[in-house]
Amino acid sequence: MDPLLLNFILKNDFGQLASKFPSYYKTLVSKLGGILSQVRLQCIQKGFEKKQPKEVADEIQRALQSAENATLNVAVIGQSGSGKSSFINVLRGIGHEEAESASVGVVPTTTKKTPYPHPKCPNMTFWDLPGTGIPESNPDPYQEVVGDDNYDFFIIISSSRFSANDAFLAQKIQEKGKKFYFVRTKVDSDLYNEKKSKPRSFKKEIVLQQIRDNCLINLSKIVSEPTVFLVSNFEPKKFDFPKLQETLLQDLPAEKRYISLRFLPDLSETLIEEKKAVIKEKLWLKAVKAAVLAFFPMTPFCCGFNLSEQKRYLKYYQSYFGLDEESVSQIARSVGTSEQEIYSLMKSTDFNSLVKDDSVIANVKKCAEYICSVTGLIPSSVFQFYKVYFLHLKFIDTVAEDAKRVLAKIEEMKSDGME
Ligand SMILES: Nc1nc2c(ncn2[C@@H]2O[C@H](COP(=O)(O)OP(=O)(O)O)[C@@H](O)[C@H]2O)c(=O)[nH]1
Ligand SMILES: [Mg+2]
């Protein structure tokens, strides 16, 4: 039960909401941050203070809309062959051999700046920038590349010892006042090579630390607190890929966080948890908006309980966690199993039992009893409102657990395949 919302519905106490909203909001949101910027939070709080429900509802609506419509432009830059295209394919959740993938190869395959929109979100574009150091490349690629102000941030990709080219790029981006992340790819092959050449003294952690130190020492001459992410584009769930994703999400402005969380691949359980937090936050904001608007006489609080509509929502949550039909068949293909096997891991396929779930009914009853004990009756619109709210929470929790089981299965099947 959501105490803030419940009290508001019961008492319509704007003063209480004004004072509690910002701190309560912070307890609800993902640890990477929520979708309301500080400015929006203050506007909402002011709206409550002035008892202006319409302003509050409008501000929430604007926040929800800008979260949905946000754009993200990521520039991926580095020497030819360093793994830029492979890296972009990982972030777009696309296999290197799929039709829409950025072409990957042992010979230079990208000679001009190429946009790769996310297949499910055209607002999110990764820019594969001309490989430097190859004869066909633009004589002054940095001017074109770094001069463009439309990128939200840069990712410098490097696959070997820190080079003069890496330093030059970092310097140029830094001079432009833009943010960059330094990604060292192909650590899988570094480990493999080290193990081959020094089988007796090989220690994975030491090799990784040496690579990290080499990058950090050089970068610290350019930026004050450098961070380096060691990744393998072949095994993105390992090494620093998940941490890189978390850092990007944390650093993004609030309104860009929702689509980024939604469309970047689920590389770890932590990211699934963060995704869950942001979609619950969205549901909560919608509920606050509905409750606030219900303050106007004649505004319907909730449009009743429509089963087919609820089914559509469940499908939406499945797609949010990358478990829609298309994604399931893609997952099945990528690990070489049947769609049926993936579906057998998912409890959210059973819509009817979710609708009848005891915990949803118990939560609604608890709220209804509490409201009745204070007011003597519960309007049916409020009852329906809670029914929908708790059902959606159940949908989200169930789909998130499904996503974790599918993630574990993918890992298990991939490691079986490698043995
Ligand atoms: N072992 C290993 N090879 C990689 C990795 N990333 C890319 N490659 C390979 O490196 C070559 C160049 O990759 P590509 O993505 O085309 O680099 P780009 O020229 O920077 O776009 C290809 O043969 C890739 O398969 C990685 O993380 N590990
Ligand atoms: Mg390329």
Side-chain angles (χ1 to χ4, degrees):
M1 175 159 28
D2 191 300
L4 192 79
L5 213 50
L6 190 63
N7 270 332
F8 180 67
I9 290 168
L10 271 175
K11 300 178 190 151
N12 284 328
D13 185 345
F14 278 86
Q16 191 204 32
L17 265 185
S19 63
K20 291 196 174 155
F21 194 86
S23 55
Y24 188 71
Y25 174 74
K26 287 199 178 96
T27 66
L28 276 184
V29 301
S30 138
K31 76 169 167 28
L32 304 177
I35 56 178
L36 291 184
S37 64
Q38 198 54 35
V39 175
R40 283 203 200 278
L41 254 181
Q42 280 164 359
C43 281
I44 293 172
Q45 193 178 17
K46 276 217 180 76
F48 280 129
E49 273 165 13
K50 293 185 186 159
K51 295 198 170 55
Q52 291 173 325
K54 176 88 171 56
E55 273 62 32
V56 171
D58 286 350
E59 193 60 41
I60 293 178
Q61 184 55 27
R62 277 194 289 272
L64 291 170
Q65 249 160 10
S66 55
E68 288 283 354
N69 301 329
T71 57
L72 189 75
N73 282 286
V74 180
V76 181
I77 187 166
Q79 210 110 27
S80 170
S82 58
K84 295 182 296 298
S85 303
S86 310
F87 178 83
I88 288 173
N89 289 339
V90 173
L91 284 187
R92 290 161 78 225
I94 292 184
H96 305 307
E97 291 172 323
E98 286 182 41
E100 294 159 308
S101 69
S103 53
V104 166
V106 285
V107 291
T109 50
T110 320
T111 53
K112 63 177 191 315
K113 171 169 148 183
T114 316
Y116 287 98
H118 191 286
K120 289 183 188 163
C121 178
N123 283 359
M124 194 167 172
T125 305
F126 298 92
W127 294 84
D128 192 336
L129 300 175
T132 51
I134 56 168
E136 306 93 294
S137 74
N138 187 324
D140 189 4
Y142 316 110
Q143 196 47 42
E144 185 195 2
V145 161
V146 184
D148 194 329
D149 280 339
N150 287 331
Y151 303 118
D152 289 286
F153 54 84
F154 286 81
I155 293 182
I156 301 176
I157 303 271
S158 169
S159 63
S160 55
R161 275 189 209 131
F162 194 91
S163 66
N165 189 61
D166 298 332
F168 186 67
L169 283 177
Q171 187 67 47
K172 287 281 169 189
I173 298 169
Q174 169 87 347
E175 279 166 15
K176 283 273 167 193
K178 284 278 174 182
K179 190 157 186 71
F180 72 83
Y181 300 88
F182 193 88
V183 172
R184 170 60 159 79
T185 53
K186 306 194 188 180
V187 294
D188 55 312
S189 52
D190 288 288
L191 291 174
Y192 177 85
N193 293 341
E194 282 291 314
K195 198 172 179 180
K196 275 263 168 209
S197 64
K198 301 168 196 157
R200 276 184 289 121
S201 61
F202 171 79
K203 279 209 171 65
K204 180 179 160 189
E205 291 313 319
I206 292 178
V207 177
L208 292 175
Q209 194 57 47
Q210 282 167 345
I211 299 175
R212 201 182 293 280
D213 288 347
N214 170 254
C215 300
L216 284 174
I217 290 166
N218 287 289
L219 277 174
S220 61
K221 295 173 193 154
I222 303 162
V223 284
S224 55
E225 283 176 21
T227 340
V228 172
F229 298 91
L230 309 187
V231 309
S232 161
N233 291 321
F234 295 161
E235 298 169 88
K237 292 185 177 81
K238 281 196 189 158
F239 309 108
D240 293 340
F241 226 126
K243 199 173 113 215
L244 168 66
Q245 233 183 308
E246 285 170 35
T247 311
L248 298 180
L249 289 162
Q250 196 155 25
D251 292 351
L252 278 175
E255 68 273 11
K256 302 207 180 217
R257 203 166 278 131
Y258 173 75
I259 64 153
S260 311
L261 256 170
R262 174 164 184 198
F263 294 107
L264 290 177
D266 289 339
L267 295 180
S268 66
E269 281 210 5
T270 316
L271 281 160
I272 295 177
E273 281 298 316
E274 300 308 328
K275 244 180 168 174
K276 189 166 92 176
V278 87
I279 193 90
K280 280 190 177 177
E281 176 195 343
K282 213 170 150 234
L283 175 67
W284 185 77
L285 286 172
K286 279 186 179 170
V288 173
K289 193 185 117 193
V292 166
L293 279 180
F295 199 61
F296 290 119
M298 310 305 292
T299 309
F301 196 26
C302 173
C303 311
F305 191 81
N306 174 324
L307 270 184
S308 58
E309 191 186 332
Q310 301 316 321
K311 215 175 208 165
R312 273 201 301 280
Y313 270 109
L314 178 59
K315 283 206 177 309
Y316 168 74
Y317 293 130
Q318 285 174 331
S319 117
Y320 180 79
F321 283 95
L323 293 176
D324 50 287
E325 284 169 21
E326 197 190 323
S327 305
V328 168
S329 57
Q330 192 194 334
I331 294 168
R333 264 201 319 276
S334 76
V335 291
T337 186
S338 66
E339 291 172 18
Q340 208 39 50
E341 174 144 20
I342 304 295
Y343 282 123
S344 72
L345 301 165
M346 290 169 54
K347 294 198 173 143
S348 62
T349 44
D350 193 351
F351 173 72
N352 290 337
S353 70
L354 289 178
V355 173
K356 291 187 201 126
D357 189 85
D358 288 345
S359 65
V360 175
I361 296 166
N363 277 330
V364 180
K365 257 176 109 179
K366 236 197 279 172
C367 275
E369 279 162 12
Y370 179 64
I371 293 174
C372 280
S373 72
V374 178
T375 63
L377 81 168
I378 174 165
S380 89
S381 62
V382 174
F383 188 81
Q384 298 294 354
F385 171 83
Y386 270 107
K387 208 165 138 188
V388 172
Y389 187 67
F390 286 120
L391 181 63
H392 283 221
L393 285 180
K394 180 79 195 169
F395 283 167
I396 294 169
D397 285 334
T398 310
V399 180
E401 288 311 305
D402 287 351
K404 286 183 195 168
R405 272 192 297 277
V406 171
L407 182 74
K409 186 76 184 171
I410 296 172
E411 279 302 275
E412 183 193 311
M413 297 193 75
K414 285 207 165 146
S415 56
D416 283 354
M418 277 197 266
E419 273 161 19

